[in-house]
Structure formats: C-alpha cells, structure tokens
Amino acid sequence: MRTYAFNEDLSCVPSKDFDVVIIGAGIAGIYSALNLDAGLRCAIINKRGSNDSNSIFAQGGIASVISMEDSVEKHIEDTLVAGAGLCDIKAVEILVEEGPEDISHLMKLGVAFDTDESGKLSITREGAHSCNRILHCHGDATGFHVTKVLQNCLAKRKNLHPMEGFALADILTDCNHSVCGVILQDSDGKYLRINTANVILATGGIGRVYRNSTNAISLTGDGIAAAIRAGAQVANMEFVQFHPTALIHPGLSGRYFLISEALRGEGAILRNRKWEAFMKDVHPLADLAPRDIVSRAIISEMKKHNLPNVYLDITQKSREFLQKRFPTIYGECMKYDIDIAINWIPVIPVQHYFMGGIKTDTDGRTTVSGLYACGENASTGVHGANRLASNSLLECLVFGRRAARDINIRTAKQPDFCPISKRENELDISTVRFNIRDTMTKQCGIIRNGGDMQKALAVMQDYYDKLSGVVLTNVTETETLNMSTVAIAVINAAIARKKSIGAHFRSDDN
Ligand SMILES: Cc1cc2nc3c(=O)[nH]c(=O)nc-3n(C[C@H](O)[C@H](O)[C@H](O)COP(=O)(O)OP(=O)(O)OC[C@H]3O[C@@H](n4cnc5c(N)ncnc54)[C@H](O)[C@@H]3O)c2cc1C
C-alpha cells in the first residue's frame, strides 16, 4: 500500500479536470507546456508565483554546439567526462544533437541571445567545456530573459492555464499504478484535487534541503518526494553539486547569490588572502576545473588558513567590460560596496544543482504510467555523477519538449486512495526544518563519511516517521515531510556509493 502526504477525506476535496497537469513553471515546465498539442487543456501549477524558480536566476547561459570550431562529438565528450563515466550515453547524444533545434525554437519564440559586433551569436566558455559554446542573454541574465519570453508565450495560449500559489501535495494513482490526478494545497492549507491522466513534474532542484544554497526558496524537492510516494523510481540521488563561488557577505541572508563560472571563463582567478592563485596547483584546468574539484579545493584552502572564505579576482578586466558582460553580478556586488573592477569578491561553495532525481527514459517517462518528469527534478541520465555547466537549461528544453510530445490523452480513472488520518503533527516545524538543513550540510554535504551519514539517516528517519500519516495543515508542513523524504533518499544513495566520484566525495573512501 502506497503512502500519501495528504491524509484527509478525499471525497470532501473540491476538484477540477484537465488533460495534462504540469507541476512547476520554470523553463522546463513552461517549455513543455508550449510543446503540448493546442487541443490539450493543461494546468501549469506554481508554488509561490512566477518569479520563484531557479530558471529565473540562471546567469551563465545555455550550452549548444554553434561554432564551426565546435562539434557534437566534443560537446558529448565534455559531458561524459564531467559525468565521470556515469552518464547515459543515449540521453547525452539526444541532448547534444537535438539541443540546437530547441535553441532555434527559442529564438523563434522571441529569445534574443547576445550577439557580437558583426551580429553573430556571442558564445562564451565555462568550466570543463573544451570550446566556446555558451549562449547568453543580456550578459548574465539568461534565465530571467528566457523565462519572461516563455511566460509571455504561455499567456497567449488559450489551452494553457497557469495556477499560481498551489503546491503539489501528492500524485494520485489508480489500482493499475497509473496516474489519475494530483492533490494541491493552497497557501491557506486548503486542498484541491485535479483529475488528470498526465502529469509532468518540473519542480526543480532540492537546494532548500541544505543550509546554504543558490536555489529559489521554494525548492524543497517536492516533486521528487511526491514521486517517491507514488512509487516512482529515483536515480543518482547521491549526486549533489556544490557551486564553488557564491557571494558571502554579512549583509546577505536567505538565497546565496551566485558568482557565475562565466567570470572564471573570462579570466577571473581564485585567490587566498596571500594573493596566491591556488587552483593552478590543484588541476590542469586551474580555475576552470570541474565544480566539485574547485569546491573541495576552496574548502581545503579555507581550512588550511582558517579563512571564512576565499576570493575571486577579476580586477584585470575593465569596469566597462564588466558592466556590459556581467551587469547582474556587477550590480549585486555593488549593493554590498564590492566594486568588482577593483575589489576581490569574497566567495564560498554552496549547494547549487541536483544531478539526481526521478528516473526517466529519454521521453521523460517515469516508472509510473502517466507520470513524466523533466528539468532539474528528473534524472534523465545526461549528467551522470556531475553536471557540465550550462547543460541543465538545455536539458530542460530538450527533455521538456520530448515529454510533451509523448503525452496522449488518457481516460482519467479513480484513485486508489483511502488513508484518512486524524493524527496531528506534534513537532516544532521550524526546528525540524533547521535541523534537516543543518544535518544535511554538516553530515551529507561537500565531504561525507559513512559514520556521519548513518547518524544523519537516523535523524531524518525519525522526522519522516513522525510526519508521515499526520494531517498536514499547511504547505510548510508538507514541504518538511518532503525535505525529510528527499534527505533520506540522498543519504541512502550516498551511503551505498562507497567510492568518491564526481560530486560525491567521501573522506572514508580508501
Ligand atoms: C543561481 C543559479 C544560476 C544558474 N545558472 C545556470 C546557467 O547559467 N545555465 C544552466 O544551464 N543552468 C543554470 N542553473 C541551473 C538551472 O537554472 C536549473 O537547473 C533550471 O533552471 C531548472 O529548471 P526547472 O524548470 O527544472 O526548475 P525551476 O526553474 O527551479 O522551476 C521549478 C518550478 O517548480 C515550482 N515548484 C516547486 N515545488 C512545487 C510544488 N510543490 N508545487 C508547485 N510548484 C512547485 C516552483 O515554484 C517553480 O515554478 C542555475 C541555477 C541557479 C540556482
């Protein structure tokens, strides 16, 4: 018998009908919606408003083979190397070969990628890419620009119905283990049921399961947790990417501001307090080494010299260049009196991206019939043990389109649902959320070991046991159950993987 976060009387919940429901309105969710047949009525659900997504924060850009010096083979090779041998080669080939088609589609929809003086698309390089292939918009505001264009297209489509302020609580399945609906919860804790035979999960990453993250505040892994409850398989859950360079400043709280890798692509150098450029002794690619290597090198540098952070130095570039190429970063740093043309930027590594997620095939199908996943909450196999920078937006596009294409109208069936619980939550939710984040950061973060992870697992299991089967009265409580569910899946996968690889690093790996 499967479990649900929703533990009340389903027959008392008001309901609506749609052909398709997409959970998440980031680039993966909206782009898949735009690729649905215009005859399908589709609801696009979004937890906290149209600006609450990781997509909107994406700075660097989208990887795609554009230049004559580049090739599909090189992009595939770079992706496979970053993935440390754990990528699904077929998925990587689809990503790289079909990506340029989706870039053209974006341009037809109105996305204006930056161009050089001659009018050619301007492409830059990021860490672990062997060629310049990163397209960007408005310098470092790629995600914002692409999201806004897609939102405008969405607003014009009569069959697409955005519903803001609703959080996915559960996916309903029937006795054949096929999707037959979803349960949503609004900001007052009230439930709404949508009957549908097709659900696309596009709920993004799991950043808020960690203490420090670049992710949007609502990203508590809800889609992955709901998929686990519905019996879907997950994969690669141990692979959590930490970005080496997030701005740290006493005036900052909440979401950490990312200093894009594109800065290092343009020549920025990581330094310790003694001016030393320490990455050149760590890896042949120096500051452009893969993210996990740079993150660990920074942590080790901080420990060695007892520093709260290291620094990123781009002062060799002119102010004019920096203002034009990195307007967002330049402006954000200026808010804290850091003029990046003359000051080094204080940075630390923080949680940034999730390579694992709901296991899908190359058409976005999960192991539950009628349930699809795309974007950061999916594990398509393209990232393996580590993501190549700027492949994630490309993945949202390619596999969002493929999931949409695969969807056919199905007949809604009755859910196999009966749990009605009267048990009330007895935990102090804000303490639990703090403890989950603190424990994950300390015991299943950048550097892990088996003993710590077993302790963390016991903590998470205790929270999970106390939260499942109770009546969850608001979104925060539901999120907290989700956080413990995702944390357990991450820890279990990390315990099971004994050897360090990619973003997964164990100090007891010997
Ligand atoms: C600061 C930053 C910079 C980045 N830069 C780049 C880059 O340059 N290039 C690149 O390729 N990648 C980049 N990434 C990664 C990339 O932005 C993400 O992987 C990608 O945008 C994920 O898109 P998505 O549509 O899957 O999820 P998101 O864009 O995160 O959207 C998730 C959606 O799900 C909704 N949601 C979540 N939970 C629920 C729920 N329970 N119910 C209803 N709705 C829910 C949210 O409200 C949101 O609408 C960056 C990420 C960050 C954080």
Side-chain angles (χ1 to χ4, degrees):
M1 175 89 170
R2 56 161 294 193
T3 57
Y4 283 89
F6 174 81
N7 283 291
E8 297 180 43
D9 185 350
L10 192 57
S11 63
C12 298
V13 176
S15 67
K16 293 179 181 233
D17 296 328
F18 280 97
D19 297 318
V20 185
V21 173
I22 298 177
I23 310 289
I27 288 177
I30 306 182
Y31 191 70
S32 57
L34 293 171
N35 277 282
L36 284 172
D37 189 284
L40 291 172
R41 280 187 77 242
C42 170
I44 297 112
I45 316 296
N46 164 357
K47 188 152 75 165
R48 287 204 180 97
S50 58
N51 284 342
D52 184 59
S53 70
N54 275 355
S55 294
I56 221 147
F57 296 126
Q59 297 175 347
I62 311 182
S64 183
V65 176
I66 303 287
S67 89
M68 298 302 280
E69 289 87 64
D70 199 3
S71 67
V72 164
E73 290 71 28
K74 283 185 193 168
H75 190 178
I76 290 175
E77 179 62 16
D78 292 347
T79 305
L80 297 179
V81 170
L86 295 190
C87 300
D88 176 330
I89 295 184
K90 186 174 161 220
V92 174
E93 283 170 356
I94 288 172
L95 176 85
V96 173
E97 284 165 8
E98 296 186 5
E101 183 191 318
D102 288 294
I103 296 294
S104 301
H105 188 197
L106 278 190
M107 292 167 74
K108 281 190 199 123
L109 292 175
V111 171
F113 288 109
D114 293 339
T115 50
D116 61 21
E117 299 74 34
S118 64
K120 280 204 328 220
L121 285 171
S122 162
I123 41 177
T124 189
R125 188 180 298 205
E126 288 186 335
H129 284 272
S130 59
C131 271
N132 284 23
R133 63 169 75 99
I134 316 296
L135 291 150
H136 44 89
C137 305
H138 297 269
D140 56 1
T142 310
F144 183 83
H145 180 70
V146 173
T147 307
K148 290 295 157 192
V149 169
L150 295 182
Q151 285 172 350
N152 287 339
C153 296
L154 184 74
K156 290 181 195 145
R157 290 276 298 268
K158 290 206 171 59
N159 63 319
L160 304 179
H161 302 269
M163 290 172 57
E164 292 195 352
F166 288 92
L168 172 73
D170 268 313
I171 299 150
L172 294 166
T173 48
D174 62 22
C175 6
N176 297 323
H177 196 47
S178 298
V179 165
C180 59
V182 290
I183 305 240
L184 308 176
Q185 197 175 23
D186 71 14
S187 51
D188 297 325
K190 294 208 176 64
Y191 287 104
L192 172 71
R193 167 181 171 177
I194 300 188
N195 300 309
T196 183
N198 303 287
V199 172
I200 301 181
L201 294 173
T203 58
I206 64 158
R208 294 295 146 179
V209 174
Y210 283 83
R211 191 173 55 211
N212 304 333
S213 173
T214 57
N215 285 195
I217 56 157
S218 65
L219 298 194
T220 41
D222 299 357
I224 298 172
I228 291 173
R229 286 193 289 274
Q233 270 180 33
V234 290
N236 289 344
M237 293 293 285
E238 65 273 43
F239 296 120
V240 182
Q241 186 176 82
F242 288 76
H243 196 288
T245 58
L247 175 65
I248 176 160
H249 190 275
L252 265 169
S253 64
R255 196 181 79 79
Y256 276 70
F257 181 76
L258 177 83
I259 307 293
S260 164
E261 201 149 293
L263 228 78
R264 281 175 283 136
E266 297 288 357
I269 292 167
L270 282 159
R271 296 188 187 280
N272 59 25
R273 262 196 201 148
K274 296 183 188 161
W275 279 82
E276 291 158 349
F278 53 87
M279 279 311 299
K280 62 180 170 28
D281 300 326
V282 175
H283 192 272
L285 287 170
D287 294 273
L288 287 175
R291 287 179 179 175
D292 57 305
I293 293 172
V294 182
S295 291
R296 285 198 292 276
I298 293 176
I299 293 284
S300 125
E301 203 64 21
M302 283 162 58
K303 273 199 180 142
K304 196 160 72 186
H305 301 290
N306 198 20
L307 300 171
N309 57 272
V310 294
Y311 297 91
L312 195 57
D313 172 14
I314 185 83
T315 56
Q316 69 278 25
K317 292 283 183 190
S318 71
R319 177 167 291 108
E320 294 66 40
F321 171 84
L322 294 171
Q323 281 173 331
K324 179 156 187 277
R325 179 66 185 84
F326 300 110
T328 313
I329 294 174
Y330 187 88
E332 186 70 19
C333 289
M334 276 309 266
K335 284 189 198 159
Y336 305 99
D337 290 330
I338 302 162
D339 176 352
I340 66 172
I342 51 173
N343 302 130
W344 296 355
I345 311 166
V347 290
I348 55 163
V350 301
Q351 192 284 342
H352 179 58
Y353 184 79
F354 188 46
M355 276 72 75
I358 308 151
K359 188 173 164 48
T360 69
D361 66 11
T362 51
D363 287 321
R365 285 182 289 224
T366 71
T367 51
V368 174
S369 168
L371 182 64
Y372 294 76
C374 61
E376 195 168 334
N377 71 184
S379 178
T380 58
V382 298
H383 304 303
N386 217 344
R387 170 186 69 134
L388 184 67
S390 287
N391 264 355
S392 37
L393 289 178
L394 192 65
E395 185 195 27
C396 291
L397 300 172
V398 171
F399 293 96
R401 169 178 51 77
R402 289 177 73 94
R405 201 187 58 180
D406 199 77
I407 288 181
N408 293 314
I409 298 169
R410 298 157 184 256
T411 311
K413 296 177 183 160
Q414 288 307 306
D416 169 26
F417 183 86
C418 54
I420 300 177
S421 166
K422 295 271 177 265
R423 194 152 66 84
E424 284 179 14
N425 165 44
E426 288 171 358
L427 294 175
D428 174 22
I429 288 294
S430 59
T431 306
V432 174
R433 290 166 78 90
F434 175 86
N435 285 345
I436 290 177
R437 288 169 175 155
D438 197 50
T439 306
M440 288 303 284
T441 303
K442 286 183 183 147
Q443 298 182 323
C444 194
I446 299 179
I447 299 172
R448 301 122 179 227
N449 69 67
D452 278 355
M453 288 193 288
Q454 288 294 354
K455 286 185 205 147
L457 186 60
V459 173
M460 299 304 155
Q461 193 63 53
D462 184 48
Y463 287 147
Y464 176 83
D465 292 343
K466 288 182 175 141
L467 284 169
S468 56
V470 303
V471 176
L472 300 170
T473 54
N474 56 51
V475 172
T476 309
E477 289 182 356
T478 311
E479 272 183 2
T480 311
L481 170 67
N482 291 338
M483 288 165 71
S484 65
T485 311
V486 171
I488 288 169
V490 171
I491 298 167
N492 271 328
I495 289 173
R497 190 172 290 282
K498 304 284 179 223
K499 290 274 167 215
S500 299
I501 181 166
H504 171 66
F505 186 82
R506 289 186 66 143
S507 56
D508 56 356
D509 164 10
N510 42 39

